[in-house]
Amino acid sequence: MANLPSGCRIIDFSTRGDERGSLVALEGGAEVPFDIRRVYTIFGTREGVARGFHAHHALNQLAVAVAGSCDVILDDGQRRERVRLERPDQGLTLPPMIWHEMENFSPDCVLMVLAEDVYDEADYIRSYDDFLRLAEEAQA
Ligand code: T46
């Protein structure tokens, strides 16, 4: 796995399997490193579509491809890394101040995102120039 930008990491979840199949349980404060206040899913993404193109000021999130696959590009203002999500037993943390883009969605991709807080448009940084300026200020 590539050396991910600061604060981003892949978490491997335990799978409880038996002769019936597999089960993954995600609890806030345990497998998920924050309390969960919101869950949303991205699915039915059209071919060639890319999403995201923002960072969050304060929000912590965890993304899991519960079906299919997609790529997530992570950018901390200095480095960009691409991560492929393709396993329901693996999550990618999306901490604050990481510019992220999602692309290469398979037609069957269901990307589930667990979020630490409710939806708040004011927490989004949707201009890459603003993001770079804020990231630079935070590192100064
Ligand atoms: C993120 C990446 C991984 C809501 O009303 N409530 C919600 O909880 C969310 C997530 C979105 N929305 C509305 C806002 C927009 O009108 O749904 C519409 C699509 O959202 P957006 O264009 O922000 O979707 P993405 O895929 O670019 O980004 C989403 C999340 O918004 C974002 O927080 O980190 O997935």
Side-chain angles (χ1 to χ4, degrees):
M1 179 59 64
N3 189 19
L4 299 182
S6 44
C8 300
R9 65 190 173 105
I10 292 283
I11 300 177
D12 290 311
F13 307 130
S14 301
T15 302
R16 289 144 229 265
D18 57 30
E19 65 286 352
R20 297 170 297 174
S22 304
L23 184 154
V24 169
L26 302 180
E27 293 187 10
E31 294 82 4
V32 181
F34 49 79
D35 288 336
I36 303 160
R37 289 199 69 198
R38 178 169 52 113
V39 179
Y40 59 92
T41 52
I42 295 170
F43 56 94
T45 308
R46 295 216 188 102
E47 196 181 343
V49 164
R51 308 188 59 124
F53 297 93
H54 60 256
H56 286 279
H57 285 287
L59 185 68
N60 276 295
Q61 301 188 99
L62 179 86
V64 184
V66 292
S69 61
C70 68
D71 290 349
V72 183
I73 296 158
L74 304 163
D75 181 338
D76 64 7
Q78 300 192 314
R79 251 160 9 98
R80 282 169 83 84
E81 294 288 348
R82 177 182 295 268
V83 175
R84 183 132 191 94
L85 293 182
E86 55 189 351
R87 300 174 57 139
D89 61 352
Q90 208 168 59
L92 171 67
T93 61
L94 297 171
M97 289 307 290
I98 295 290
W99 184 266
H100 49 279
E101 301 167 13
M102 300 90 77
E103 62 182 25
N104 291 334
F105 286 86
S106 63
D108 60 344
C109 182
V110 179
L111 183 65
M112 178 182 74
V113 184
L114 311 179
E116 190 181 26
D117 211 344
V118 296
Y119 177 71
D120 177 9
E121 184 57 37
D123 189 62
Y124 285 70
I125 306 165
R126 293 197 184 267
S127 150
Y128 189 64
D129 287 344
D130 289 349
F131 165 71
L132 286 180
R133 184 177 45 76
L134 290 166
E136 204 170 302
E137 281 171 16
Q139 276 151 18

